[in-house]
Amino acid sequence: MTDSKMAVNKTFLYVLHSAMRMSILILVLNLHSCSPQTTSAKKPNVILILIDDQGYGDISALGNPFIQTPNIDQLHDSSVRFTDYHVSPTCSPTRAALITGHHSNRTGVWHTVNGRSLLLERETTAAEIFKDNDYSTGIFGKWHLGDNYPFRPQDNGFDEVLTHGGGGMEQTMDYWDNDYFNDTYLHNGVLQQYEGYSADIWFEEAIEWIDSREDQPFFCYIPSNTAHSPYFVEDKYYKDLEGNDSIPHAPFLGMIRNIDENVGKLMAYLKESGKLDNTIIVYTTDNGTAHGAKAEGHRLDGFIGQGFNAGMRGIKASKYEGGHRVPLFIRWDRGEINQGKDIDELTAHYDVLPTLVDLCNLKVNPKIQFDGQSLVPLINGDHSAFADRIVITNSQRIEVPQPWRRTSLMQGKWRLVDGEELYNIETDPGQQTNIADQYPDKVQAYRDYYDSWWAKISPTYEDQPFIYVGHSADNPTRLIAHDWHTEAEASPWHQRHIRTAVKDNGYWLVDVQESGSYSVKLRRWPEETHLSLHEIAEVRPSLPGTSVTESVESTSISVSKARLNIQDIDEVKEVDPTAEYVEFVIDLKVGESKLQTWFTLDNGETLGAYYVSLEKM
């Protein structure tokens, strides 16, 4: 080789070596400059745990003196904790806000019954966003945003669905006589009986499903129906609490213990399987405590006289702190969100989805504008975007929302309740002293803000939740009195209302998808009971492993006529007392309509048919 060729080769090797060193340096600098949340090439998994009716004070790490929750405590200790986090005062509205990133009023969900727990079709859910980003999606537990098309979980982005009906066991939307033990649930739209306790089943089935997700990231939503009523749980979880006069409801706390046990099983599985490192875990609840504390005076809004509620006034459904301030824990080991840290800024349920979008770097349709904002800046120490924010929560529970109805407007530590009562919870955490007369300018400023907010959000109330009829995704359509629109405070949402034949009525909003002949069947009892109109349901037998009982005797009625009104049809039929239902065969046209039914009793009284099916023939 000539000297000139050797020189060229040396020069080439030197340049190549330098280039390689520079590339390595650039790679190292790029890795170093990335935030912990974006260093992983593999998308993080997400588990969102939503516990029903557990309040801020129903966790031992947050001060509960009556029970120990070691597994929830361990999650608390290794998470970022949002200590001033607020939800809606009742369950469906919280679920709607959590799953959409919108204020619950905007989603059409401001009640738990009366057709106002149905998530408007225009909404985009977390499951749909995750699915669009190549995630596998699953729900295990309580949906409570609609059990008909197009409101069901499988219509809203969930691949795997295991749920009960409505808002809980013993409700009219749920399978008859489900009682937490060995119940029948909907698995991907098909009724299936399971062995075991409901909360155990949700967590066990979620773990089994997660275990099968090897090649695809997952979004797993576990909204447990416990600790909602009825308070059926095995004796071993609560018997030692009985006799303590400071405890309002021992079985309720027993349910919390069972939840803690299941959280422990889930965390153990994630650790043993190696999935814990790259799984974001979110733990929160849907409203204030139902029975961990008891209010004196007003049953919802009073000061706590028994139990523990972390010094707050009010319980579930209250407009005061105890109704809507709940725990929120977020942990992600690979994202370095695993050091116990409290964040005291004002946050809300509609912040959770934008936060997950941010952490997981998800692509979202730019037309979607969240009401909430990502909590990642707070996690990273930047509080600037939250310094002056205002959060509004309310409990409407009527057909059409009203301004300032059971409302709390919050900014920092200030609370304006119903537009009239002003509290500073930094100096008065129990909201005992109304100081509105001391700060008239502040009260007026908050009222002005609210008026502006109301003017922007109230036009969305005009959108109605129509249940589809004659659609291939859900034919026959089964309508239940739980979803009646009615002027009453609540439609017949509980199975005891059916047993006692409550004299009530209302209408369903339906949207006929295909013109043609339909079979419409009117029932008093759900189809699975096979009871005739005049029969009565048996009292439920005792439950396995628990001394808790809650049985209601059935009332016999004598139905003489049945009536049906929909579109331009108004028909009446005589009733066969031995039949399970009264059937009408009618022709329907495509379009939106109200559907109402009547049973006329021998004594002239009327009530609606609690269960109605419409099948396109």
Side-chain angles (χ1 to χ4, degrees):
M1 182 179 294
T2 64
D3 291 344
S4 61
K5 285 184 177 180
M6 290 177 64
V8 169
N9 285 338
K10 286 182 178 180
T11 302
F12 173 76
L13 291 172
Y14 176 78
V15 171
L16 179 63
H17 180 65
S18 298
M20 290 176 65
R21 291 179 63 189
M22 182 60 68
S23 297
I24 292 170
L25 178 61
I26 291 171
L27 177 61
V28 170
L29 289 173
N30 282 339
L31 288 174
H32 181 72
S33 65
C34 288
S35 67
Q37 289 85 23
T38 59
T39 57
S40 173
K42 186 178 179 182
K43 295 179 180 178
N45 306 308
V46 177
I47 299 176
L48 172 56
I49 303 170
L50 179 67
I51 304 303
D52 205 342
D53 283 0
Q54 180 184 30
Y56 190 91
D58 296 328
I59 298 171
S60 55
L62 297 178
N64 191 284
F66 306 119
I67 59 170
Q68 294 298 310
T69 52
N71 298 298
I72 300 173
D73 291 357
Q74 189 172 12
L75 181 60
H76 163 276
D77 293 346
S78 57
S79 297
V80 170
R81 293 95 55 155
F82 295 85
T83 64
D84 200 5
Y85 167 76
H86 295 261
V87 296
S88 302
T90 56
C91 49
S92 292
T94 289
R95 292 159 201 277
L98 191 69
I99 209 75
T100 65
H102 284 154
H103 192 285
S104 55
N105 287 25
R106 193 183 304 280
T107 71
V109 179
W110 51 75
H111 205 334
T112 56
V113 292
N114 288 31
R116 290 304 180 180
S117 62
L118 309 182
L119 185 70
L120 289 174
E121 190 177 3
R122 67 167 186 242
E123 291 294 325
T124 301
T125 70
E128 290 172 309
I129 292 173
F130 275 101
K131 192 171 183 178
D132 288 344
N133 284 267
D134 299 322
Y135 275 70
S136 185
T137 57
I139 176 175
F140 305 86
K142 172 178 172 175
W143 172 242
H144 203 186
L145 294 173
D147 292 338
N148 296 100
Y149 185 81
F151 309 109
R152 305 168 302 177
Q154 59 265 42
D155 309 321
N156 285 278
F158 285 99
D159 302 319
E160 179 74 8
V161 176
L162 178 62
T163 58
H164 62 77
M169 310 312 181
E170 289 197 334
Q171 296 195 11
T172 47
M173 295 298 292
D174 198 26
Y175 193 83
W176 188 259
D177 265 356
N178 268 358
D179 54 25
Y180 297 89
F181 296 92
N182 306 325
D183 289 339
T184 298
Y185 305 129
L186 280 162
H187 181 221
N188 296 328
V190 178
L191 288 169
Q192 182 176 334
Q193 187 171 15
Y194 289 78
E195 291 187 9
Y197 187 66
S198 63
D200 299 343
I201 291 167
W202 311 139
F203 279 87
E204 289 166 3
E205 292 294 320
I207 289 171
E208 184 175 333
W209 179 77
I210 290 170
D211 200 49
S212 67
R213 306 295 100 185
E214 290 299 333
D215 302 320
Q216 189 177 15
F218 60 80
F219 170 63
C220 180
Y221 180 34
I222 310 177
S224 177
N225 61 302
T226 54
H228 195 285
S229 64
Y231 300 105
F232 300 152
V233 66
E234 289 184 78
D235 289 354
K236 66 180 182 180
Y237 291 107
Y238 74 90
K239 274 295 184 180
D240 64 306
L241 301 175
E242 289 187 325
N244 186 334
D245 293 337
S246 298
I247 295 177
H249 203 294
F252 172 82
L253 292 181
M255 283 180 155
I256 303 295
R257 283 174 164 173
N258 172 267
I259 290 164
D260 180 77
E261 188 177 275
N262 279 294
V263 169
K265 291 176 182 177
L266 174 64
M267 296 301 292
Y269 161 76
L270 292 172
K271 185 175 181 180
E272 292 166 5
S273 66
K275 289 182 168 65
L276 180 60
D277 178 62
N278 199 30
T279 297
I280 299 169
I281 301 165
V282 180
Y283 184 97
T284 187
T285 72
D286 65 347
N287 45 242
T289 187
H291 278 291
K294 185 176 181 180
E296 293 183 335
H298 193 285
R299 67 182 183 88
L300 304 177
D301 297 333
F303 301 108
I304 302 305
Q306 185 185 25
F308 179 79
N309 203 18
M312 295 182 289
R313 176 178 177 179
I315 59 171
K316 172 183 177 177
S318 177
K319 55 193 176 184
Y320 299 104
E321 293 289 283
H324 47 81
R325 178 179 163 230
V326 301
L328 172 64
F329 310 150
I330 300 178
R331 171 178 173 170
W332 179 24
D333 288 6
R334 187 172 295 185
E336 298 181 6
I337 305 174
N338 58 0
Q339 305 296 321
K341 180 174 74 171
D342 287 338
I343 293 177
D344 299 328
E345 298 292 340
L346 182 65
T347 54
H349 44 11
Y350 45 63
D351 297 331
V352 172
L353 179 53
T355 302
L356 293 176
V357 166
D358 201 354
L359 290 175
C360 300
N361 195 26
L362 303 180
K363 295 179 180 178
V364 179
N365 187 325
K367 293 181 180 179
I368 298 174
Q369 298 295 315
F370 296 122
D371 289 323
Q373 57 196 86
S374 172
L375 303 177
V376 171
L378 285 179
I379 294 172
N380 291 335
D382 180 3
H383 295 214
S384 58
F386 292 79
D388 298 317
R389 89 176 302 201
I390 290 177
V391 169
I392 296 171
T393 187
N394 58 42
S395 184
Q396 292 287 336
R397 300 185 69 80
I398 52 176
E399 178 66 18
V400 180
Q402 299 172 355
W404 285 111
R405 179 177 170 85
R406 297 191 61 75
T407 295
S408 179
L409 181 150
M410 300 171 277
Q411 184 182 44
K413 301 304 178 183
W414 292 97
R415 305 290 186 262
L416 183 63
V417 177
D418 291 351
E420 301 291 339
E421 303 171 25
L422 184 68
Y423 301 94
N424 184 334
I425 63 167
E426 188 169 26
T427 57
D428 180 18
Q431 294 176 284
Q432 299 185 51
T433 306
N434 175 14
I435 54 175
D437 58 347
Q438 300 177 34
Y439 298 91
D441 292 343
K442 183 176 287 291
V443 170
Q444 189 58 51
Y446 285 155
R447 286 175 179 166
D448 292 344
Y449 179 93
Y450 182 90
D451 290 344
S452 175
W453 174 81
W454 186 265
K456 293 175 183 176
I457 201 170
S458 57
T460 67
Y461 303 159
E462 297 177 4
D463 293 340
Q464 301 290 320
F466 286 88
I467 297 171
Y468 283 22
V469 171
H471 193 284
S472 59
D474 190 22
N475 187 41
T477 300
R478 294 178 174 85
L479 305 177
I480 301 175
H482 176 286
D483 290 333
W484 278 346
H485 292 259
T486 173
E487 293 182 1
E489 182 179 346
S491 54
W493 58 272
H494 198 285
Q495 290 177 9
R496 68 171 175 267
H497 299 140
I498 312 305
R499 289 181 178 273
T500 58
V502 63
K503 308 300 187 296
D504 202 352
N505 208 336
Y507 61 86
W508 292 279
L509 291 175
V510 298
D511 188 345
V512 178
Q513 295 294 292
E514 187 176 345
S515 297
S517 294
Y518 285 77
S519 167
V520 185
K521 297 175 180 177
L522 281 56
R523 303 174 184 269
R524 174 190 177 179
W525 304 104
E527 186 175 352
E528 62 265 21
T529 66
H530 302 292
L531 292 172
S532 73
L533 292 164
H534 291 189
E535 287 184 280
I536 61 174
E538 294 180 358
V539 174
R540 181 176 45 218
S542 59
L543 305 176
T546 178
S547 305
V548 182
T549 58
E550 188 176 296
S551 298
V552 178
E553 296 283 349
S554 294
T555 300
S556 177
I557 60 173
S558 182
V559 181
S560 59
K561 293 181 181 180
R563 178 184 168 198
L564 168 71
N565 181 275
I566 182 174
Q567 294 182 353
D568 57 355
I569 298 167
D570 196 332
E571 293 190 8
V572 178
K573 277 195 171 186
E574 299 293 325
V575 171
D576 175 2
T578 65
E580 293 182 23
Y581 54 83
V582 180
E583 182 177 19
F584 294 82
V585 178
I586 58 176
D587 291 331
L588 296 177
K589 301 182 293 290
V590 169
E592 298 172 348
S593 179
K594 293 180 180 180
L595 166 63
Q596 189 163 2
T597 64
W598 292 262
F599 281 143
T600 300
L601 308 185
D602 286 345
N603 63 5
E605 292 183 311
T606 64
L607 51 84
Y610 305 127
Y611 299 88
V612 173
S613 65
L614 296 90
E615 183 171 12
K616 176 70 172 62
M617 299 173 65

